[in-house]
Amino acid sequence: MTEHAPLIIDVAGTQLTATDRQRLAHPLVGGVILFARNWEHRAQLLELTAAIKAVRGDLLICVDHEGGRVQRFKTDGFTHIPPMRAFGELWMDDGKGSKHREGSGALRAMDAATAAGYVLGSELRACGVDFSFTPVLDLDYGASGVIGDRAFARDPRVVAMLARALMQGLLQAGMANCGKHFPGHGFVKADSHTEIPVDRRSLTAILADDAAPYPWLSTVLTSVMPAHVIYPKVDNRPAGFSTKWLQDILRGRLRFDGAVFSDDLSMEGARRLNGLDGEVVSYTDAGVAALNAGCDLVLLCNQSLGGGAAVDELIDGLAAAQAAGRWQASGASEARRLALLPETLPQPWDDLMVQPAYMHALDLLP
């Protein structure tokens, strides 16, 4: 049987329990996603990440750490990364009256975005974190509360250029990247954490605007997270459960060959597989549907609290579904997961703090 560890799960606290270790050791689990509740200070975080790697060295330790209001670790030396909109605003700024030198706003914004990627990635890696779900490639239409200032700009060309710059900084820190939320979450107002957003535009309109950064970034994009949004003129399933979006369009038409993550299966928009009128399915059925649609990895977040019954349900259910032939393990998917692991050793925190490149990057942040 082909080995494939598609599940990214969470842990409840600041230290691993025996139950956490048992779950992380399961062959279907490929990684863990950390949250603010898993954080007290840097020494504790380093101990936690080391404990996770002691269970299995190939586990991918992830976090949503974009900057702005989505930054899980904010104290004990971690730099506050500005929201991505700040870089879009810098793009339009002539530099007069600011701490930055005058000149092309676009070039200064790209330099600052590269610096942000380097600071973000190197600080996380110094604490044992392998991977952050960043950057947001959604467009800033000014209507989406859940996206808002997480987006670089309204213009997809500006988004692509600034995202490329940030990805370069991540790469310098030895970290892969994740473009989200394919094909675009910025146009709809509803928050997919609590509602089911519907975008009724045509495929042509979406590809020409919201999804435009994805092919433009094809040489640097290492992973993608689809949106829990329904685009009924393309498919009645949310994009993360849609073969049309993931295989026909993302893999086929846009020729993306990196890893595809599902968004969190616990979100409201995640488990109505057959449109707004469809029933809410189980975590197992949602996980199977995501994998069969074309996801390489599936996330289940914030379910380890209170015993973690949903985590065990998904692990056991996915194992049973695999044995029953409802989904097949993929060697290609496993290779994509492993490719997201850093290939270099992280720089220790104290060494990083006095590194000239790091100190220069700090000075470039808006």
Side-chain angles (χ1 to χ4, degrees):
M1 183 180 294
T2 301
E3 293 184 0
H4 179 191
L7 298 182
I8 308 294
I9 64 174
D10 64 336
V11 296
T14 56
Q15 297 178 326
L16 292 187
T17 65
T19 300
D20 290 328
R21 289 186 172 87
Q22 183 179 9
R23 290 170 180 156
L24 293 174
H26 195 285
L28 289 179
V29 174
V32 60
I33 179 168
L34 301 178
F35 292 91
R37 69 170 184 272
N38 304 121
W39 158 264
E40 288 180 343
H41 48 75
R42 284 188 289 108
Q44 168 270 323
L45 180 60
L46 195 57
E47 289 178 2
L48 176 61
T49 55
I52 292 169
K53 290 293 187 178
V55 175
R56 247 183 45 218
D58 70 297
L59 290 171
L60 182 69
I61 302 177
C62 313
V63 68
D64 264 331
H65 196 86
E66 305 167 5
R69 55 194 161 98
V70 183
Q71 183 166 332
R72 305 306 184 198
F73 317 134
K74 299 179 180 179
T75 57
D76 197 16
F78 265 92
T79 301
H80 174 69
I81 304 295
M84 295 301 101
R85 180 184 286 167
F87 300 96
E89 292 172 344
L90 183 58
W91 181 287
M92 302 302 296
D93 182 22
D94 64 6
K96 295 178 179 178
S98 74
K99 72 173 183 177
H100 298 280
R101 62 188 181 278
E102 295 184 15
S104 168
L107 294 179
R108 288 185 289 111
M110 290 177 65
D111 208 16
T114 300
Y118 182 72
V119 170
L120 185 157
S122 58
E123 289 182 355
L124 288 175
R125 290 208 59 209
C127 291
V129 178
D130 298 319
F131 181 81
S132 178
F133 293 103
T134 188
V136 167
L137 300 183
D138 301 316
L139 306 187
D140 185 6
Y141 287 90
S144 173
V146 70
I147 300 302
D149 64 2
R150 297 167 66 193
F152 286 106
R154 168 62 183 88
D155 189 330
R157 298 168 298 181
V158 175
V159 170
M161 293 300 289
L162 290 175
R164 180 180 289 272
L166 186 130
M167 291 173 184
Q168 177 63 33
L170 291 172
L171 179 64
Q172 290 172 353
M175 184 175 282
N177 60 71
C178 182
K180 60 186 187 183
H181 305 82
F182 177 81
H185 199 311
F187 186 78
V188 291
K189 293 183 180 180
D191 181 351
S192 55
H193 293 85
T194 57
E195 303 176 70
I196 305 173
V198 178
D199 187 335
R200 301 188 183 280
R201 292 176 299 163
S202 68
L203 175 62
T204 299
I206 294 168
L207 291 179
D209 206 3
D210 295 61
Y214 290 86
W216 294 340
L217 295 169
S218 63
T219 59
V220 292
L221 196 58
T222 50
S223 70
V224 163
M225 178 179 286
H228 283 328
V229 176
I230 298 173
Y231 308 86
K233 291 188 177 179
V234 181
D235 196 349
N236 69 343
R237 289 192 164 197
F241 304 99
S242 168
T243 301
K244 289 182 181 178
W245 277 115
L246 299 185
Q247 296 190 36
D248 298 347
I249 298 172
L250 183 62
R251 296 278 190 217
R253 186 164 178 171
L254 303 184
R255 301 177 68 182
F256 175 70
D257 62 359
V260 177
F261 289 87
S262 80
D263 206 341
D264 178 14
L265 296 184
S266 69
M267 291 164 58
E268 178 64 27
R271 288 178 290 125
R272 291 187 186 271
L273 302 187
N274 296 303
L276 291 172
D277 298 327
E279 294 183 358
V280 176
V281 304
S282 68
Y283 293 115
T284 296
D285 287 344
V288 168
L291 291 168
N292 286 336
C295 289
D296 302 297
L297 298 148
V298 293
L299 276 78
L300 184 61
C301 303
N302 295 313
Q303 298 301 308
S304 64
L305 301 170
V311 180
D312 294 329
E313 173 195 328
L314 180 58
I315 293 173
D316 295 341
L318 197 61
Q322 183 182 23
R326 293 179 57 201
W327 74 278
Q328 293 184 345
S330 167
S333 288
E334 181 66 3
R336 294 183 187 114
R337 180 186 76 86
L338 295 173
L340 298 176
L341 290 164
E343 297 180 352
T344 59
L345 292 174
Q347 191 160 17
W349 186 275
D350 289 343
D351 292 347
L352 179 66
M353 292 300 102
V354 296
Q355 182 197 54
Y358 172 81
M359 292 189 290
H360 178 62
L362 288 178
D363 189 55
L364 291 174
L365 295 177

